[in-house]
């Protein structure tokens, strides 16, 4: 059930107000209404992510989002957004003295443009970056809401796609997964926001942040906007932020190896054990020699074993299954090319793995590359492949027959 407190200070709007102007102007009006609220608090129960982004989303009951907003006396609007999704916790702040992120016990001041702000900045370079339209009204609990879609135009979508990393020297085939449509929910009676969803150009929902509970103009304690105590690190780029995040992950695991945020569960450990029993070899030259002697093919597994959710999902659904283990022991020599966040690796292994990544032009994980005993590539699987071990074995057999 979706709850909403009485509209203290929110003006009632005339019936059909959203039909009296262009959709983009209706959206701007509604956004202005919400910017003018003294206080806003929204809660979303459950994961906001689809299984395309987080394959464990549907099975994760320990998930929520809280969003706080307040308008200061000088008109500046401060926000705080807290997200919990299984083991993952993230809080970002937009305060008068800057933007901050708190995750993995580390507070970071972010001095670069991220997420929606980056998209809006890029959109400003185009005369017509978006189309807008009013969608069919929806009931959010007991609240009758209008839904306004903001959709990337084809030229803007192409430009966003062009900025995506190259995959194996070619344009990414994942254009259809760019979150090109944002649907905004506003209550008809007063224009108060009830959140948003993000969809692909195919209409598949990737993010759902429509609130289950909304409170407006109910005072929010100052403590909600206080930053956590501790060292503040500064990230001027997304790359710098990624390094700080990885270092924080390693430090947390070293400080408290039993912390549930970074410690594998019993099920995860069981999967790791089954995967470890596959026919792995230490390096590629040994794998090629063994494959030649045993008339097998070599399979390189490029992975981020302790952070890449699709790698972990593929290990669970395919590599750890008895059917694949039987096939692998007869037909494959496997080489693990791992890029973990926290698992220890020697400098030599790190260098070898980086060299292999560069040699085979691997830009995303998981990637599985099949080679002949002479080292010739005969096929690759990029990303998660649904269908269990049967589907992956069928792909490998296609490679073998080339």
């Amino acid at each position: 059930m979706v709850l909403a407190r009485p509209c203290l200070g929110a003006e009632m709007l005339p019936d059909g107000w959203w039909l009296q102007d262009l959709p983009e102007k209706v959206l701007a009006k509604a956004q202005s209404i919400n910017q003018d609220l003294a206080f806003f608090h929204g809660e979303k129960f459950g994961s906001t992510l689809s299984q395309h982004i987080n394959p464990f989303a549907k099975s994760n009951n320990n998930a929520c989002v809280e969003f706080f907003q307040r308008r200061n006396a000088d008109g500046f609007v401060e926000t705080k957004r807290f997200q919990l999704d299984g083991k993952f916790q993230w809080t970002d702040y937009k305060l008068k003295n800057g933007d901050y992120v708190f995750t993995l016990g580390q507070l970071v001041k972010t001095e670069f443009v991220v997420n929606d702000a980056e998209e809006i900045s890029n959109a400003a370079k185009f005369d017509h970056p978006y189309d807008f339209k009013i969608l069919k009204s929806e009931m959010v609990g007991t609240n009758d809401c209008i839904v306004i879609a903001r959709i990337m135009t084809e030229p803007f979508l192409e430009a966003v796609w062009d900025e995506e990393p190259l995959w194996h020297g070619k344009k990414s085939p994942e254009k259809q997964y760019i979150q090109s449509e944002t649907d905004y929910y506003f209550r008809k009676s007063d224009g108060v926001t009830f959140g948003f969803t993000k969809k692909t150009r195919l209409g598949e929902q990737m993010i759902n942040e429509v609130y289950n509970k909304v409170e407006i103009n109910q005072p929010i304690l100052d403590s909600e906007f206080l930053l956590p105590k501790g060292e503040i690190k500064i990230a001027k780029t997304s790359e710098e932020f990624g390094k700080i995040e990885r270092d924080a992950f390693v430090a947390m695991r070293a400080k408290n190896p039993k912390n549930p945020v970074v410690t594998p569960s019993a099920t995860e450990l069981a999967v790791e054990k089954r995967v470890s029993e596959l026919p792995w070899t230490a390096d590629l030259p040994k794998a090629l020699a063994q494959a030649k002697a045993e008339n097998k093919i070599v399979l390189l597994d490029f992975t981020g074993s302790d952070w890449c959710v699709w790698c972990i999902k593929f290990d669970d659904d395919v590599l750890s299954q008895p059917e694949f283990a039987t096939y692998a022991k007869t037909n494959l020599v496997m080489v693990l090319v791992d890029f973990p966040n926290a698992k220890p690796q020697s400098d030599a292994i790190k260098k070898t793995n980086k060299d292999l990544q560069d040699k085979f032009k691997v830009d995303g994980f998981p990637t599985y590359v099949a080679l002949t005993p002479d080292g010739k590539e005969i096929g690759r699987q990029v990303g998660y492949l649904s269908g269990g071990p049967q589907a992956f074995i069928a792909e490998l057999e296609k490679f073998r027959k080339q």
Side-chain angles (χ1 to χ4, degrees):
M1 178 178 179
V2 179
L3 307 174
R5 292 290 181 89
C7 306
L8 304 176
E11 296 183 5
M12 301 301 290
L13 298 171
D15 291 342
W17 62 273
W18 61 92
L19 301 174
Q20 298 171 11
D21 214 332
L22 295 173
E24 53 265 44
K25 292 186 177 181
V26 175
L27 176 59
K29 177 182 177 69
Q31 290 175 329
S32 177
I33 288 171
N34 287 275
Q35 284 289 100
D36 287 341
L37 292 173
F39 300 98
F40 176 88
H41 175 214
E43 288 185 75
K44 157 77 176 177
F45 309 128
S47 180
T48 65
L49 306 178
S50 78
Q51 288 190 294
H52 283 290
I53 298 176
N54 179 358
F56 307 104
K58 285 188 176 179
S59 60
N60 179 19
N61 296 321
N62 187 28
C64 67
V65 166
E66 278 196 90
F67 181 80
F68 301 87
Q69 174 185 302
R70 70 177 179 184
R71 187 178 183 85
N72 294 337
D74 61 2
F76 187 86
V77 176
E78 294 184 315
T79 65
K80 170 187 173 182
R81 179 183 177 276
F82 168 76
Q83 180 177 1
L84 170 68
D85 203 333
K87 296 180 180 180
F88 173 81
Q89 294 185 36
W90 178 284
T91 308
D92 59 59
Y93 303 81
K94 293 187 181 300
L95 307 177
K96 196 168 184 179
N97 66 344
D99 298 347
Y100 300 84
V101 169
F102 182 70
T103 187
L104 296 169
Q106 178 63 59
L107 183 61
V108 184
K109 186 175 185 180
T110 55
E111 297 184 348
F112 59 95
V113 181
V114 295
N115 300 333
D116 286 347
E118 182 177 18
E119 181 182 323
I120 292 170
S121 175
N122 291 333
K125 303 172 186 176
F126 289 77
D127 293 332
H128 183 55
Y130 299 109
D131 289 322
F132 298 84
K133 62 182 179 180
I134 305 288
L135 303 180
K136 184 179 179 181
S137 299
E138 290 188 28
M139 294 298 296
V140 181
T142 59
N143 298 275
D144 192 6
C145 292
I146 60 169
V147 185
I148 305 174
R150 187 192 69 187
I151 306 163
M152 290 181 184
T153 58
E154 194 63 27
F156 184 39
L157 178 59
E158 286 288 338
V160 172
W161 186 41
D162 283 339
E163 293 183 2
E164 293 289 307
L166 293 178
W167 289 71
H168 324 302
K170 301 178 182 179
K171 293 287 288 293
S172 166
E174 304 305 315
K175 180 179 178 181
Q176 72 238 41
Y177 292 125
I178 292 175
Q179 296 168 23
S180 57
E181 177 179 336
T182 304
D183 295 345
Y184 298 93
Y185 288 67
F186 301 99
R187 189 163 50 196
K188 288 181 178 178
S189 61
D190 55 12
V192 168
T193 182
F194 269 74
F196 62 90
T197 63
K198 288 183 177 289
K199 298 178 181 177
T200 68
R201 64 185 308 183
L202 302 179
E204 189 161 29
Q205 190 176 100
M206 305 293 278
I207 293 177
N208 180 346
E209 202 157 315
V210 176
Y211 301 123
N212 298 99
K213 180 181 178 182
V214 164
E215 297 174 327
I216 60 172
N217 292 335
Q218 301 294 316
I220 299 172
L221 297 175
D222 289 343
S223 58
E224 285 292 350
F225 295 91
L226 291 179
L227 294 173
K229 294 181 179 180
E231 178 190 10
I232 300 176
K233 295 192 175 180
I234 296 176
K236 296 183 180 296
T237 66
S238 58
E239 290 77 15
E240 288 182 5
F241 180 83
K243 183 178 186 306
I244 292 171
E245 190 176 22
R246 288 192 295 273
D247 290 346
F249 187 94
V250 172
M252 179 175 282
R253 171 166 279 185
K255 183 177 180 180
N256 185 3
K258 294 185 178 181
N259 189 309
V261 174
V262 294
T263 303
S265 67
T267 300
E268 290 167 339
L269 289 172
V271 169
E272 286 186 10
K273 183 177 184 299
R274 291 196 297 270
V275 170
S276 71
E277 294 170 350
L278 292 172
W280 302 103
T281 56
D283 56 50
L284 182 55
K286 289 183 180 179
L288 293 172
Q290 182 180 339
K292 190 170 186 178
E294 299 176 0
N295 193 28
K296 296 178 179 178
I297 64 172
V298 173
L299 184 67
L300 300 175
D301 177 1
F302 291 87
T303 182
S305 64
D306 63 0
W307 61 268
C308 169
V309 292
W310 287 110
C311 304
I312 296 167
K313 178 71 170 170
F314 198 81
D315 284 357
D316 193 2
D317 291 349
V318 178
L319 300 190
S320 68
Q321 298 302 312
E323 183 176 349
F324 180 77
T326 299
Y327 174 84
K329 289 173 183 176
T330 304
N331 298 283
L332 305 177
V333 180
M334 301 177 66
V335 179
L336 182 66
V337 190
D338 195 8
F339 298 84
N341 271 348
K343 291 180 180 177
Q345 282 185 324
S346 68
D347 290 341
I349 290 177
K350 289 179 181 178
K351 183 179 185 306
T352 297
N353 289 354
K354 183 62 170 63
D355 289 345
L356 288 173
Q357 182 186 25
D358 293 342
K359 178 179 179 179
F360 290 99
K361 296 181 172 61
V362 172
D363 297 307
F365 306 131
T367 295
Y368 305 92
V369 180
L371 307 175
T372 66
D374 295 325
K376 177 185 175 183
E377 181 176 338
I378 53 175
R380 68 172 61 198
Q381 169 61 41
V382 178
Y384 180 87
L385 178 68
S386 59
Q390 300 91 342
F392 191 44
I393 290 170
E395 284 295 297
L396 294 174
E397 283 300 294
K398 288 180 187 177
F399 301 156
R400 280 169 57 88
K401 294 174 182 178
Q402 290 186 10

